[in-house]
Amino acid sequence: MTQPVPSRDSETPRLSKTTLQDVARDAGVSAMTVSRVVNEQPGVKPSTRRHVEGVIKRLGYRPNIVARGLKASHSNTLGLLVPDVTNPYFPSLVRGAEDVAFEAGYTLLLHNVIEDREREAAALTMFEERRVDGVIVCSPRLPEDRLYDHLARHASAVVVNRRAPADLAGSVRVDHEVGARLAARHLLDHGHQTIAVLAGPKESSAGVERLEGIRAELGLDGLEIPGERIVSCPPTMEGGAAAARDLLERVPNVDAVLCFNDLVATGTLLTARQKGLSVPYDLSVVGYDDIAYARMFSPALTTLRVPTYDIGAHAMRMLLSRMNGEQRTISIVVQPELIIRESTRMRPSSTLLPTS
């Protein structure tokens, strides 16, 4: 005889709808007693606690964590906002923040805003509506007035790669001006005179700081960087390729390019190859961030190394401290490190000739 085929519904486990009152009724105790057991509070005899825990397990009761958090004025969740999760810079940063949050018993809500200001504002509003206990905002693109207005509506906040008033948010950032000066000095010492900059998004404060550093370092050698050699672009490989194409068509005598990040530098390498330029013999290229693939590019990329995991961990520890009413004015500034690889070289005209 053919056995009936169980329906899909009969095979699929359903979320338990058991309530705290159901547990109390089955265990023969008050709802208050069950609540004390669930929240690991005192005032329950060991034998009663064991009995209630057994009923909870048998009925499959799961406490409503959100509702419990609302009653306690906290949700045990934290918000983390990043501009583009596909950018290799951010996964390690997220991991650093997540590891610290997990150890502290918090759940992390991640929101990817894909370099869109309005999505960034909407994400901050969503975090507010979800009553997260604190937020970390990485590389925000919102202008100061809008960003500060959103930060003021959160009990605790930290921004990464951006300055903020200490009463609104803590700050963890890279010393971008120093990093840019290191990169510019490297090119100057290698005889480069016609240096260009692919500066990233116009709304990026990091990009602005780096441009200031580049101008300051070039100024030490009596050089300037005209506007025609500065191109804003999306912080992506495609954005870098398009910006490099525009730059090299307008200013073909450029001998070095400082890029907003390693993705932009990758796009520059592709464009140089398409135009028949050899890197580094015809054109030196410098990236920023030292993502995992930077050493695998051809040629391997000279870049600024940034400890992204540490930045995420620093930001999360700072957020937890601010939530506890500590370190209200502290900021952390991380120093980048110049990593010299194969995409830069000494200009032939600057090579010292032996003396007779």
Side-chain angles (χ1 to χ4, degrees), residues 331-345:
S331 64
I332 296 175
V333 181
V334 177
Q335 298 299 319
E337 176 187 2
L338 179 65
I339 305 297
I340 301 173
R341 296 196 180 100
E342 300 166 0
S343 66
T344 55
R345 71 184 289 261

Side-chain angles (χ1 to χ4, degrees), residues 66-260:
V66 173
R68 191 170 66 187
L70 292 177
K71 291 180 181 179
S73 300
H74 62 82
S75 63
N76 287 325
T77 58
L78 303 170
L80 175 59
L81 184 154
V82 297
D84 184 2
V85 76
T86 65
N87 184 331
Y89 176 91
F90 291 105
S92 179
L93 187 153
V94 171
R95 176 64 184 275
E98 186 177 41
D99 284 352
V100 174
F102 181 81
E103 287 295 321
Y106 285 90
T107 298
L108 197 60
L109 300 181
L110 176 65
H111 207 302
N112 174 36
V113 299
I114 59 172
E115 297 286 349
D116 186 305
R117 285 183 171 184
E118 297 312 312
R119 285 184 63 148
E120 184 176 302
L124 287 168
T125 299
M126 182 273 288
F127 284 150
E128 180 186 356
E129 292 172 347
R130 291 287 185 93
R131 303 191 184 210
V132 298
D133 298 329
V135 295
I136 296 175
V137 187
C138 297
S139 302
R141 306 304 191 205
L142 286 171
E144 285 188 354
D145 56 344
R146 292 186 66 189
L147 175 63
Y148 294 170
D149 180 61
H150 279 285
L151 294 178
R153 297 204 292 268
H154 287 275
S156 298
V158 170
V159 292
V160 174
N161 289 333
R162 185 86 169 258
R163 291 180 172 89
D167 60 328
L168 290 181
S171 173
V172 180
R173 60 187 182 84
V174 178
D175 196 331
H176 292 296
E177 184 173 347
V178 166
R181 295 188 74 140
L182 288 172
R185 176 49 53 190
H186 170 67
L187 294 176
L188 291 168
D189 288 348
H190 281 63
H192 295 278
Q193 297 286 308
T194 313
I195 299 172
V197 180
L198 301 188
K202 290 182 179 180
E203 59 270 22
S204 169
S205 60
V208 172
E209 291 176 19
R210 292 176 197 174
L211 195 54
E212 291 173 354
I214 293 167
R215 284 180 167 140
E217 197 64 29
L218 265 61
L220 295 180
D221 285 27
L223 299 176
E224 295 182 355
I225 184 163
E228 67 176 0
R229 283 193 258 134
I230 301 172
V231 184
S232 297
C233 63
T236 62
M237 184 175 66
E238 296 77 11
R245 192 176 307 114
D246 170 61
L247 170 71
L248 294 172
E249 288 174 356
R250 291 186 297 100
V251 194
N253 64 326
V254 165
D255 58 22
V257 182
L258 291 166
C259 299
F260 177 77

